Amino acid sequence: MSAAANKKLLEDIFAIASHPDPAVRDRSLLMASLADDATWMVTGQYSWSRTFHGKQSIISNLHGYVRSLLVERGRTVARRIIADGDIVVVEAKGDNLTRKGERYDNDYCLVFRLENGKIKEIREYCDSVLTERALGKFPEMTGRAAG
């Protein structure tokens, strides 16, 4: 697919992810766009830093866990989307409230690598101090599909 088509896919995904109405803010397009063997790498050197291997691990172990910590479906607003071939970079801002009543409005730089219209790899860069302060440490994942 072209850079323009890859960029359009991410624009569509983030249009849904940023919608003000939580009922509209589902992750179905993102999940449908993930390759079965996709990886999501949370960069850095803190408890959340790991690579989730496979679509099911991303859905269950990463997104499922984050959803359990938030009051409603998370909201992430793209500020800038840049595409070059099979790479799309999204600068985004979270707009979230935890179940403990704390704001979790992280800044993200997400680097997507696409292949044949599917997301194969995501590298997430964010404020690790804010993540652990608002969401806590990521639990150990013994026997799960993360690395």
Side-chain angles (χ1 to χ4, degrees), residues 87-121:
I87 303 295
V88 180
V89 178
V90 179
E91 181 183 355
K93 178 78 172 174
D95 177 16
N96 301 289
L97 183 65
T98 70
R99 293 188 188 276
K100 295 186 288 185
E102 295 183 48
R103 294 299 313 166
Y104 178 59
D105 301 334
N106 216 327
D107 291 294
Y108 299 97
C109 180
L110 300 159
V111 181
F112 294 83
R113 184 176 63 80
L114 291 92
E115 188 176 289
N116 300 318
K118 292 286 191 177
I119 299 168
K120 292 285 282 186
E121 179 182 295

Side-chain angles (χ1 to χ4, degrees), residues 61-98:
N61 300 329
L62 177 58
H63 283 257
Y65 181 64
V66 171
R67 274 195 319 270
S68 76
L69 301 173
L70 301 178
V71 171
E72 56 188 28
R73 288 186 176 152
R75 182 169 186 241
T76 307
V77 180
R79 300 277 169 94
R80 181 175 308 153
I81 300 178
I82 302 166
D84 183 15
D86 62 351
I87 303 295
V88 180
V89 178
V90 179
E91 181 183 355
K93 178 78 172 174
D95 177 16
N96 301 289
L97 183 65
T98 70

Side-chain angles (χ1 to χ4, degrees), residues 6-85:
N6 289 335
K7 181 178 181 181
K8 174 76 167 90
L9 175 61
L10 272 297
E11 287 171 340
D12 292 345
I13 288 169
F14 278 88
I16 296 167
S18 66
H19 198 281
D21 182 354
V24 175
R25 226 179 324 182
D26 71 36
R27 301 285 188 227
S28 58
L29 180 57
L30 171 62
M31 297 310 153
S33 300
L34 286 172
D36 289 338
D37 61 346
T39 59
W40 189 307
M41 177 187 289
V42 179
T43 64
Q45 296 181 12
Y46 67 117
S47 67
W48 288 73
S49 300
R50 65 193 66 230
T51 300
F52 297 86
H53 298 278
K55 181 178 188 172
Q56 205 49 51
S57 178
I58 293 167
I59 292 170
S60 302
N61 300 329
L62 177 58
H63 283 257
Y65 181 64
V66 171
R67 274 195 319 270
S68 76
L69 301 173
L70 301 178
V71 171
E72 56 188 28
R73 288 186 176 152
R75 182 169 186 241
T76 307
V77 180
R79 300 277 169 94
R80 181 175 308 153
I81 300 178
I82 302 166
D84 183 15

